[in-house]
Amino acid sequence: MTASASQPIAAGLAASERELVRGARLLCEALVSEGVDTVFGYPGGAVLHVYDELAAMRAELNHVLVRHEQGAVHMAEGYAKATGKPGVVLVTSGPGATNAVTGIANAYCDSTPLVVITGQVPRPMIGSDAFQEVDTVGITRPCTKYSYIVRDVRDLDDIVHEAFHVATSGRPGPVLIDIPKDVTADKATRSSSGWAPSLRFRSSGRPDPSVLRRVAEKLVAARRPVLYVGGGVVHADAAVELLALAERLDIPVTPTLMGLGAFPAGHPLCLGMLGMHGTYWANMAVSEADLLVSVGARFDDRVTGLVNKFAPKAEVVHIDVDPASVGKIVRPHVGLVADARDALRGLLAATSGVESAEGRLSGWWERIQEWKDFAPLRYEPSANVIKPQQLCEELQRITDGRAIVATDVGQHQMWLAQYYRFGEPRQSLTSGGLGTMGFGLPAAIGAQIGRPDELVIAFVGDGGFQMTAQELSTAVLYGTNTKVVVMNNSYLGMVRQWQQIFYEGVYSAVAMDGNPDFVKLAEAYGATGLRATRPEDLAGVLEEGLSRPGVVVMDILVDPEENVFPMVPPGAAPQEMVLS
């Protein structure tokens, strides 16, 4: 019988749906259907079926071969932070999975959306202490939003789709899918039914209009208000709404470390970062405020210091998408579970009748200016040695604050937060909650792969750089344009600073004796290496390094015993910060 013109197409589709394919193929096709274009990974025995399918799907899925599984997760984090899309990781069982745990925990602390796929030994061997077997789900349960082990190939497609939904909805975070090797080998038909989120993963819904009206009334009535904003504003893509609300009501804004870029640092309403190494005027404003409205921040201990002395004069409003975060550290007068953009849009609607707030807070702004004049950010320049603050200022000047900068953790991270003026969200990529050394370089590589046309800088210390320096090979292999600035003080600087201040200057295991020649290290990996040792060299080295094509490592030798100030000592309140 002769088929009609439409019958061959329909028959072909039906045949495709009936076709039996390996679980590995189902996995890769599900990733593509979720819009994934890049997977960061490292192969091993338990995921060989998946890598076999990746070879056949090179046109749809780009695989980035890293040099260590921790680097894979940090790259996926940098990709996610810079693009707003979930990062995807693929590693093998056993040590592949355990090597990834630091990155997974880092993503969990900083609410970064990831889907991490780990191989597992075949199902009949689970529990037998087989080669490269660990309980990956058990190990990662405390540092993931959700963890799956796939026991039936027919469930794989739905699990992948649900994992992406969980990773990106509500408070974002990492989700792990552990797949036994025999599941990736088993065959099943492609799913023809559409996936929908189950009731257990419903979103929190729209914010309560009556609560938004209360908050709006408080904002209009306050005489010393402050908006305290965190990474939730960045995750929600709510920077435009935040700027509009602050400008409408003439309210000062202070971001957390994770909130840098959520509000333009050069804006007259921006107080700079608050907290342990925040600006004096930001911390004093929070301490004297009569209303503190927190949006997308969790009252981290690096912000609050001594909690019972934090914002002692303020009514506190806490807006966060995560119901577990609202009231967890500081009990608010008003709590609202809501996405930051939805909440800010609601506050804009509720304050639409406000003509102009200009002049209403003039006394408050005069007081803030007095604090700023009393204790501006300052350091003593030197003709003999490069000061770390000078390095950050030069980087700001040369890039005009437009670069995407991924930092490691330590003194350099704090100096950059103080002196580099991030103007937009997704420019500042850093490890906040976990404080993971080794984050900066791979995160920058991931960001560069996600945004190839942007200037991306890894701003790292000599200690953290060496924890993941092997990823220079990845950067060179994939032709990224990533620039690496090493703030080299030959110390684990922040630990040394604490030992100097709080342990009577007894330095223990903080001198980085035996550092390699970073210029030669860069050249060994096929990158360009440059060095600045004196203040007069600094601008030229940075300008040359940032303008050269390809991967460039700039080794910047700085004052080895410079300390980060201001600083809130442990056990103190923000208003008790030490200025020098």
Side-chain angles (χ1 to χ4, degrees):
M1 185 173 65
T2 304
S4 68
S6 63
Q7 281 178 325
I9 298 174
L13 288 173
S16 174
E17 289 172 355
R18 290 195 303 270
E19 180 188 359
L20 288 172
V21 295
R22 284 190 298 183
R25 182 75 182 195
L26 294 175
L27 170 64
C28 293
E29 290 180 353
L31 294 177
V32 171
S33 72
E34 284 290 341
V36 175
D37 54 27
T38 303
V39 176
F40 301 91
Y42 202 96
V47 286
L48 284 181
H49 296 307
V50 181
Y51 274 87
D52 190 45
E53 293 293 348
L54 282 173
M57 296 182 66
R58 287 192 183 98
E60 295 120 306
L61 280 174
N62 174 42
H63 179 269
V64 176
L65 177 61
V66 303
R67 295 305 181 259
H68 190 280
E69 290 89 352
Q70 181 179 343
V73 187
H74 291 331
M75 284 183 208
E77 288 181 274
Y79 177 95
K81 286 174 180 286
T83 65
K85 299 190 295 184
V88 179
V89 178
L90 174 62
V91 297
T92 194
S93 62
T98 57
N99 283 347
V101 169
T102 295
I104 295 169
N106 191 78
Y108 184 75
C109 290
D110 288 346
S111 305
T112 305
L114 299 182
V115 173
V116 180
I117 300 159
T118 57
Q120 184 55 272
V121 300
R123 285 168 293 180
M125 300 176 70
I126 291 176
S128 69
D129 295 329
F131 177 67
Q132 292 192 333
E133 180 194 359
V134 297
D135 179 7
T136 304
V137 168
I139 289 170
T140 59
R141 185 173 285 118
C143 59
T144 54
K145 281 190 72 178
Y146 205 80
S147 295
Y148 300 87
I149 182 165
V150 184
R151 299 187 181 276
D152 190 319
V153 68
R154 292 169 295 184
D155 298 330
L156 182 56
D157 187 72
D158 282 353
I159 285 175
V160 172
H161 293 306
E162 186 169 88
F164 277 88
H165 174 74
V166 174
T168 56
S169 62
R171 179 180 175 179
V175 174
L176 182 129
I177 307 175
D178 195 39
I179 311 178
K181 184 174 183 178
D182 58 328
V183 171
T184 62
D186 282 356
K187 291 186 176 181
T189 57
R190 292 180 175 90
S191 173
S192 59
S193 59
W195 174 85
S198 62
L199 293 178
R200 60 182 172 162
F201 296 124
R202 288 182 299 181
S203 64
S204 57
R206 297 292 179 180
D208 187 332
S210 65
V211 177
L212 288 173
R213 284 193 296 271
R214 285 176 60 200
V215 176
E217 289 167 0
K218 291 179 183 295
L219 283 168
V220 173
R223 289 296 174 263
R224 301 188 310 280
V226 173
L227 285 169
Y228 150 45
V229 300
V233 175
V234 177
H235 294 308
D237 293 320
V240 171
E241 290 80 3
L242 173 63
L243 179 62
L245 182 67
E247 288 185 334
R248 174 179 291 173
L249 301 179
D250 197 36
I251 296 179
V253 179
T254 179
T256 65
L257 177 66
M258 302 308 297
L260 292 175
F263 194 83
H267 195 285
L269 298 179
C270 187
L271 303 181
M273 184 178 74
L274 80 165
M276 177 174 280
H277 292 292
T279 66
Y280 176 73
W281 56 97
N283 281 336
M284 290 305 298
V286 168
S287 299
E288 294 295 323
D290 64 358
L291 178 68
L292 183 68
V293 177
S294 171
V295 184
R298 57 187 180 86
F299 293 86
D300 177 74
D301 62 285
R302 297 287 156 146
V303 165
T304 64
L306 196 61
V307 172
N308 61 9
K309 290 187 178 180
F310 179 74
K313 302 177 182 180
E315 274 195 281
V316 175
V317 175
H318 191 181
I319 301 171
D320 200 282
V321 74
D322 180 10
S325 292
V326 177
K328 181 179 180 179
I329 307 298
V330 172
R331 185 173 182 179
H333 297 79
V334 179
L336 178 62
V337 177
D339 173 83
R341 184 164 59 177
D342 290 342
L344 289 167
R345 284 178 175 175
L347 290 174
L348 281 168
T351 57
S352 59
V354 177
E355 295 284 334
S356 173
E358 190 174 349
R360 179 175 65 87
L361 302 178
S362 58
W364 182 223
W365 278 109
E366 288 170 6
R367 187 74 178 110
I368 291 171
Q369 188 60 48
E370 289 173 2
W371 289 318
K372 193 170 186 178
D373 293 340
F374 175 73
L377 292 174
R378 58 162 70 95
Y379 66 96
E380 292 294 329
S382 170
N384 301 315
V385 64
I386 299 168
K387 290 300 182 91
Q389 303 93 327
Q390 179 190 3
L391 168 58
C392 297
E393 287 181 327
E394 276 298 300
L395 203 60
Q396 161 69 36
R397 181 188 67 79
I398 294 168
T399 64
D400 194 27
R402 298 182 184 277
I404 297 170
V405 187
T407 75
D408 242 272
V409 173
Q411 287 180 313
H412 70 281
Q413 177 192 34
M414 294 297 102
W415 275 313
L416 193 83
Q418 292 176 342
Y419 287 92
Y420 196 91
R421 296 193 295 275
F422 292 101
E424 296 179 0
R426 305 196 184 282
Q427 278 187 280
S428 173
L429 317 180
T430 196
S431 170
L434 196 63
T436 305
M437 292 176 67
F439 173 83
L441 174 60
I445 296 168
Q448 189 78 81
I449 289 170
R451 294 173 67 176
D453 297 328
E454 302 287 339
L455 173 60
V456 180
I457 300 169
F459 189 71
V460 297
D462 52 307
F465 177 48
Q466 292 181 81
M467 289 190 171
T468 50
Q470 70 274 6
E471 299 304 342
L472 283 173
S473 180
T474 308
V476 172
L477 175 65
Y478 290 91
T480 70
N481 200 39
T482 311
K483 313 306 178 192
V484 184
V485 177
V486 184
M487 194 198 80
N488 185 353
N489 58 11
S490 297
Y491 275 114
L492 298 176
M494 190 61 83
V495 183
R496 183 209 56 75
Q497 176 171 335
W498 278 58
Q499 288 180 347
Q500 178 186 339
I501 296 173
F502 303 114
Y503 294 87
E504 301 179 343
V506 177
Y507 292 174
S508 177
V510 290
M512 295 298 286
D513 299 331
N515 271 349
D517 182 324
F518 292 125
V519 171
K520 290 181 179 178
L521 182 70
E523 292 170 349
Y525 278 112
T528 299
L530 303 171
R531 178 177 291 118
T533 61
R534 297 177 59 80
E536 59 265 28
D537 304 332
L538 179 61
V541 167
L542 289 177
E543 287 169 355
E544 181 183 355
L546 294 176
S547 63
R548 278 203 186 192
V551 181
V552 182
V553 176
M554 290 157 272
D555 182 20
I556 313 297
L557 275 62
V558 301
D559 189 340
E561 297 200 49
E562 187 78 1
N563 288 333
V564 182
F565 290 107
M567 178 181 183
V568 178
Q575 62 270 31
E576 298 168 339
M577 65 191 320
V578 176
L579 301 179
S580 63

mmCIF file of all heavy atoms in Angstrom, residues 25 50-51 94 111 160 194 196 201 233 240 285 292 306 337 360 363-364 404 409 436 449 460 463 495 498 505 544:
data_model
loop_
_atom_site.group_PDB
_atom_site.id
_atom_site.type_symbol
_atom_site.label_atom_id
_atom_site.label_comp_id
_atom_site.label_asym_id
_atom_site.label_seq_id
_atom_site.Cartn_x
_atom_site.Cartn_y
_atom_site.Cartn_z
ATOM 1 N N ARG A 25 22.796 7.518 25.715
ATOM 2 C CA ARG A 25 22.245 8.364 24.658
ATOM 3 C C ARG A 25 21.067 9.176 25.188
ATOM 4 O O ARG A 25 20.934 10.375 24.875
ATOM 5 C CB ARG A 25 21.799 7.500 23.477
ATOM 6 C CG ARG A 25 21.255 8.298 22.296
ATOM 7 C CD ARG A 25 22.371 8.960 21.533
ATOM 8 N NE ARG A 25 21.872 9.762 20.421
ATOM 9 C CZ ARG A 25 22.659 10.199 19.433
ATOM 10 N NH1 ARG A 25 23.955 9.902 19.439
ATOM 11 N NH2 ARG A 25 22.161 10.911 18.451
ATOM 12 N N VAL A 50 28.815 6.938 28.382
ATOM 13 C CA VAL A 50 28.414 8.330 28.158
ATOM 14 C C VAL A 50 29.429 9.022 27.253
ATOM 15 O O VAL A 50 29.063 9.748 26.318
ATOM 16 C CB VAL A 50 28.280 9.083 29.497
ATOM 17 C CG1 VAL A 50 27.830 10.523 29.249
ATOM 18 C CG2 VAL A 50 27.302 8.369 30.420
ATOM 19 N N TYR A 51 30.711 8.794 27.506
ATOM 20 C CA TYR A 51 31.723 9.417 26.653
ATOM 21 C C TYR A 51 31.659 8.886 25.230
ATOM 22 O O TYR A 51 31.964 9.607 24.260
ATOM 23 C CB TYR A 51 33.115 9.242 27.272
ATOM 24 C CG TYR A 51 33.416 10.350 28.259
ATOM 25 C CD1 TYR A 51 33.033 10.242 29.597
ATOM 26 C CD2 TYR A 51 34.023 11.528 27.843
ATOM 27 C CE1 TYR A 51 33.270 11.266 30.494
ATOM 28 C CE2 TYR A 51 34.266 12.557 28.729
ATOM 29 C CZ TYR A 51 33.891 12.431 30.054
ATOM 30 O OH TYR A 51 34.104 13.461 30.931
ATOM 31 N N GLY A 94 33.756 6.904 42.352
ATOM 32 C CA GLY A 94 34.852 6.870 43.314
ATOM 33 C C GLY A 94 35.586 8.186 43.427
ATOM 34 O O GLY A 94 34.983 9.214 43.775
ATOM 35 N N SER A 111 24.734 29.187 46.244
ATOM 36 C CA SER A 111 23.480 29.095 45.480
ATOM 37 C C SER A 111 23.717 29.149 43.972
ATOM 38 O O SER A 111 23.032 29.870 43.248
ATOM 39 C CB SER A 111 22.519 30.220 45.902
ATOM 40 O OG SER A 111 22.304 30.210 47.288
ATOM 41 N N VAL A 160 16.614 13.664 34.699
ATOM 42 C CA VAL A 160 17.448 14.760 34.185
ATOM 43 C C VAL A 160 16.648 16.056 34.123
ATOM 44 O O VAL A 160 17.116 17.115 34.572
ATOM 45 C CB VAL A 160 18.031 14.405 32.801
ATOM 46 C CG1 VAL A 160 18.727 15.617 32.189
ATOM 47 C CG2 VAL A 160 19.006 13.248 32.928
ATOM 48 N N GLY A 194 5.515 14.536 27.856
ATOM 49 C CA GLY A 194 6.144 15.740 28.384
ATOM 50 C C GLY A 194 6.346 15.649 29.884
ATOM 51 O O GLY A 194 5.510 15.102 30.607
ATOM 52 N N ALA A 196 6.649 17.218 33.660
ATOM 53 C CA ALA A 196 6.151 18.357 34.438
ATOM 54 C C ALA A 196 6.652 18.206 35.870
ATOM 55 O O ALA A 196 6.752 17.087 36.384
ATOM 56 C CB ALA A 196 4.621 18.394 34.425
ATOM 57 N N PHE A 201 8.241 19.969 44.236
ATOM 58 C CA PHE A 201 9.165 20.997 43.792
ATOM 59 C C PHE A 201 8.432 22.232 43.278
ATOM 60 O O PHE A 201 8.899 22.925 42.386
ATOM 61 C CB PHE A 201 10.102 20.455 42.712
ATOM 62 C CG PHE A 201 10.996 19.353 43.208
ATOM 63 C CD1 PHE A 201 11.014 18.120 42.585
ATOM 64 C CD2 PHE A 201 11.820 19.542 44.304
ATOM 65 C CE1 PHE A 201 11.846 17.094 43.038
ATOM 66 C CE2 PHE A 201 12.643 18.530 44.771
ATOM 67 C CZ PHE A 201 12.654 17.306 44.138
ATOM 68 N N VAL A 233 19.788 38.878 44.443
ATOM 69 C CA VAL A 233 19.419 39.874 43.433
ATOM 70 C C VAL A 233 20.065 39.525 42.097
ATOM 71 O O VAL A 233 19.454 39.676 41.035
ATOM 72 C CB VAL A 233 19.831 41.290 43.897
ATOM 73 C CG1 VAL A 233 19.564 42.325 42.809
ATOM 74 C CG2 VAL A 233 19.091 41.666 45.174
ATOM 75 N N VAL A 240 17.959 45.744 37.600
ATOM 76 C CA VAL A 240 17.229 46.899 37.050
ATOM 77 C C VAL A 240 16.174 47.381 38.036
ATOM 78 O O VAL A 240 16.026 48.591 38.286
ATOM 79 C CB VAL A 240 16.586 46.524 35.695
ATOM 80 C CG1 VAL A 240 15.645 47.632 35.224
ATOM 81 C CG2 VAL A 240 17.658 46.262 34.652
ATOM 82 N N ALA A 285 26.361 53.026 58.598
ATOM 83 C CA ALA A 285 24.985 53.294 58.156
ATOM 84 C C ALA A 285 24.049 52.174 58.597
ATOM 85 O O ALA A 285 22.930 52.439 59.081
ATOM 86 C CB ALA A 285 24.948 53.443 56.636
ATOM 87 N N LEU A 292 16.218 48.545 57.933
ATOM 88 C CA LEU A 292 17.144 47.754 57.118
ATOM 89 C C LEU A 292 16.319 46.751 56.323
ATOM 90 O O LEU A 292 15.687 45.862 56.896
ATOM 91 C CB LEU A 292 18.153 47.019 58.004
ATOM 92 C CG LEU A 292 19.225 46.213 57.269
ATOM 93 C CD1 LEU A 292 20.181 47.130 56.518
ATOM 94 C CD2 LEU A 292 19.999 45.314 58.238
ATOM 95 N N LEU A 306 28.980 40.325 65.491
ATOM 96 C CA LEU A 306 28.224 39.934 66.685
ATOM 97 C C LEU A 306 26.741 40.196 66.428
ATOM 98 O O LEU A 306 26.310 41.340 66.328
ATOM 99 C CB LEU A 306 28.716 40.737 67.885
ATOM 100 C CG LEU A 306 28.331 40.236 69.279
ATOM 101 C CD1 LEU A 306 28.888 38.845 69.542
ATOM 102 C CD2 LEU A 306 28.823 41.216 70.341
ATOM 103 N N VAL A 337 8.868 35.611 51.966
ATOM 104 C CA VAL A 337 9.465 34.602 51.089
ATOM 105 C C VAL A 337 9.073 34.946 49.661
ATOM 106 O O VAL A 337 7.892 34.876 49.297
ATOM 107 C CB VAL A 337 8.986 33.189 51.459
ATOM 108 C CG1 VAL A 337 9.554 32.166 50.477
ATOM 109 C CG2 VAL A 337 9.383 32.838 52.883
ATOM 110 N N ARG A 360 14.237 64.450 51.220
ATOM 111 C CA ARG A 360 13.622 63.831 52.392
ATOM 112 C C ARG A 360 14.670 63.208 53.305
ATOM 113 O O ARG A 360 14.519 63.211 54.532
ATOM 114 C CB ARG A 360 12.599 62.782 51.940
ATOM 115 C CG ARG A 360 11.893 62.047 53.069
ATOM 116 C CD ARG A 360 10.816 61.123 52.533
ATOM 117 N NE ARG A 360 11.369 60.046 51.737
ATOM 118 C CZ ARG A 360 11.797 58.882 52.237
ATOM 119 N NH1 ARG A 360 11.744 58.678 53.548
ATOM 120 N NH2 ARG A 360 12.260 57.935 51.457
ATOM 121 N N GLY A 363 19.411 64.766 55.641
ATOM 122 C CA GLY A 363 20.153 64.646 56.898
ATOM 123 C C GLY A 363 20.877 63.320 57.008
ATOM 124 O O GLY A 363 22.010 63.244 57.510
ATOM 125 N N TRP A 364 20.240 62.273 56.517
ATOM 126 C CA TRP A 364 20.833 60.937 56.544
ATOM 127 C C TRP A 364 22.045 60.873 55.621
ATOM 128 O O TRP A 364 23.100 60.362 55.992
ATOM 129 C CB TRP A 364 19.767 59.928 56.147
ATOM 130 C CG TRP A 364 20.125 58.469 56.135
ATOM 131 C CD1 TRP A 364 19.787 57.561 55.189
ATOM 132 C CD2 TRP A 364 20.835 57.713 57.130
ATOM 133 N NE1 TRP A 364 20.224 56.301 55.492
ATOM 134 C CE2 TRP A 364 20.882 56.366 56.706
ATOM 135 C CE3 TRP A 364 21.433 58.042 58.340
ATOM 136 C CZ2 TRP A 364 21.503 55.352 57.423
ATOM 137 C CZ3 TRP A 364 22.071 57.040 59.070
ATOM 138 C CH2 TRP A 364 22.103 55.723 58.614
ATOM 139 N N ILE A 404 34.990 40.809 33.558
ATOM 140 C CA ILE A 404 34.499 39.761 34.439
ATOM 141 C C ILE A 404 35.704 39.278 35.230
ATOM 142 O O ILE A 404 36.723 38.898 34.634
ATOM 143 C CB ILE A 404 33.875 38.604 33.644
ATOM 144 C CG1 ILE A 404 32.645 39.085 32.865
ATOM 145 C CG2 ILE A 404 33.503 37.443 34.565
ATOM 146 C CD1 ILE A 404 32.118 38.065 31.869
ATOM 147 N N VAL A 409 40.392 33.155 47.148
ATOM 148 C CA VAL A 409 39.941 33.542 48.484
ATOM 149 C C VAL A 409 41.133 34.018 49.297
ATOM 150 O O VAL A 409 42.186 33.382 49.311
ATOM 151 C CB VAL A 409 39.247 32.362 49.189
ATOM 152 C CG1 VAL A 409 38.935 32.688 50.639
ATOM 153 C CG2 VAL A 409 37.969 32.005 48.438
ATOM 154 N N THR A 436 36.647 28.940 49.116
ATOM 155 C CA THR A 436 37.446 27.873 48.527
ATOM 156 C C THR A 436 38.648 28.417 47.769
ATOM 157 O O THR A 436 38.497 29.022 46.700
ATOM 158 C CB THR A 436 36.582 27.027 47.567
ATOM 159 O OG1 THR A 436 35.432 26.554 48.274
ATOM 160 C CG2 THR A 436 37.366 25.862 47.009
ATOM 161 N N ILE A 449 34.570 30.510 28.634
ATOM 162 C CA ILE A 449 33.918 29.615 27.681
ATOM 163 C C ILE A 449 32.450 30.008 27.511
ATOM 164 O O ILE A 449 31.904 29.957 26.406
ATOM 165 C CB ILE A 449 34.075 28.156 28.137
ATOM 166 C CG1 ILE A 449 35.547 27.730 27.965
ATOM 167 C CG2 ILE A 449 33.140 27.214 27.385
ATOM 168 C CD1 ILE A 449 35.892 26.401 28.588
ATOM 169 N N VAL A 460 44.078 36.156 41.416
ATOM 170 C CA VAL A 460 44.356 35.089 42.378
ATOM 171 C C VAL A 460 45.581 35.421 43.219
ATOM 172 O O VAL A 460 46.429 36.228 42.837
ATOM 173 C CB VAL A 460 44.577 33.746 41.659
ATOM 174 C CG1 VAL A 460 43.321 33.322 40.912
ATOM 175 C CG2 VAL A 460 45.759 33.815 40.683
ATOM 176 N N GLY A 463 49.030 31.484 46.673
ATOM 177 C CA GLY A 463 48.651 30.235 47.328
ATOM 178 C C GLY A 463 47.517 29.540 46.608
ATOM 179 O O GLY A 463 47.635 28.375 46.194
ATOM 180 N N VAL A 495 45.779 34.428 56.368
ATOM 181 C CA VAL A 495 46.154 33.675 57.565
ATOM 182 C C VAL A 495 47.302 34.395 58.273
ATOM 183 O O VAL A 495 47.315 34.524 59.508
ATOM 184 C CB VAL A 495 46.547 32.232 57.210
ATOM 185 C CG1 VAL A 495 46.873 31.444 58.477
ATOM 186 C CG2 VAL A 495 45.426 31.537 56.444
ATOM 187 N N TRP A 498 45.987 37.365 60.257
ATOM 188 C CA TRP A 498 45.366 36.966 61.519
ATOM 189 C C TRP A 498 46.419 36.565 62.544
ATOM 190 O O TRP A 498 46.301 36.886 63.724
ATOM 191 C CB TRP A 498 44.367 35.831 61.271
ATOM 192 C CG TRP A 498 43.034 36.321 60.795
ATOM 193 C CD1 TRP A 498 42.794 37.070 59.682
ATOM 194 C CD2 TRP A 498 41.772 36.129 61.429
ATOM 195 N NE1 TRP A 498 41.455 37.335 59.563
ATOM 196 C CE2 TRP A 498 40.799 36.768 60.631
ATOM 197 C CE3 TRP A 498 41.368 35.455 62.572
ATOM 198 C CZ2 TRP A 498 39.443 36.771 60.952
ATOM 199 C CZ3 TRP A 498 40.004 35.442 62.893
ATOM 200 C CH2 TRP A 498 39.067 36.111 62.089
ATOM 201 N N GLY A 505 51.957 37.921 66.375
ATOM 202 C CA GLY A 505 52.944 37.944 65.305
ATOM 203 C C GLY A 505 53.714 36.659 65.117
ATOM 204 O O GLY A 505 54.757 36.655 64.448
ATOM 205 N N GLU A 544 49.975 45.423 28.835
ATOM 206 C CA GLU A 544 50.450 44.459 27.857
ATOM 207 C C GLU A 544 49.747 43.115 28.029
ATOM 208 O O GLU A 544 49.296 42.496 27.054
ATOM 209 C CB GLU A 544 51.963 44.271 27.989
ATOM 210 C CG GLU A 544 52.526 43.278 26.977
ATOM 211 C CD GLU A 544 54.018 43.025 27.132
ATOM 212 O OE1 GLU A 544 54.652 43.689 27.976
ATOM 213 O OE2 GLU A 544 54.536 42.140 26.421
#
